[in-house]
Amino acid sequence: MIELYGISNCETVKKARAWLQAHGLAHRFHDFKKEGLDPACLDVWLAALGWEALLNRRGTTWRQLDDATRAGITDAASARALMLARPSVIRRPVVQWADASYSVGFDELDWQRRL
């Protein structure tokens, strides 16, 4: 089963979910803004993908942070703390594929290769 993690009102997540549905792929969606973010799950993502890939520096949440907070994100530990405090700073969607591999973001070509 494909596990898709994100926020339901995120446009990229909407595109990703629509793509999965259009391709008839069963998946479970976890809205980490509504359902929370399990620290152990975040640790798995960090190990699999790296903190820099997970940190969304282009999003509204990042831009709303003060300069000191942004400057303080320099490693996995500081990024993890921010992601747990403000899950919407995580790049979306995070996907756990049926083969237990992970990806972040929506890249149609990459997703087609994974199937």
Side-chain angles (χ1 to χ4, degrees), residues 49-65:
L49 300 166
W51 70 273
E52 290 169 318
L54 282 171
L55 186 63
N56 183 2
R57 289 189 168 111
R58 294 182 178 178
T60 304
T61 303
W62 177 259
R63 291 190 306 264
Q64 289 175 344
L65 298 173

Side-chain angles (χ1 to χ4, degrees), residues 53-91:
L54 282 171
L55 186 63
N56 183 2
R57 289 189 168 111
R58 294 182 178 178
T60 304
T61 303
W62 177 259
R63 291 190 306 264
Q64 289 175 344
L65 298 173
D66 60 71
D67 291 339
T69 301
R70 283 185 285 195
I73 308 303
T74 58
D75 58 16
S78 58
R80 180 184 186 275
L82 177 63
M83 290 176 196
L84 287 172
R86 311 262 321 252
S88 56
V89 79
I90 297 171
R91 188 170 167 226

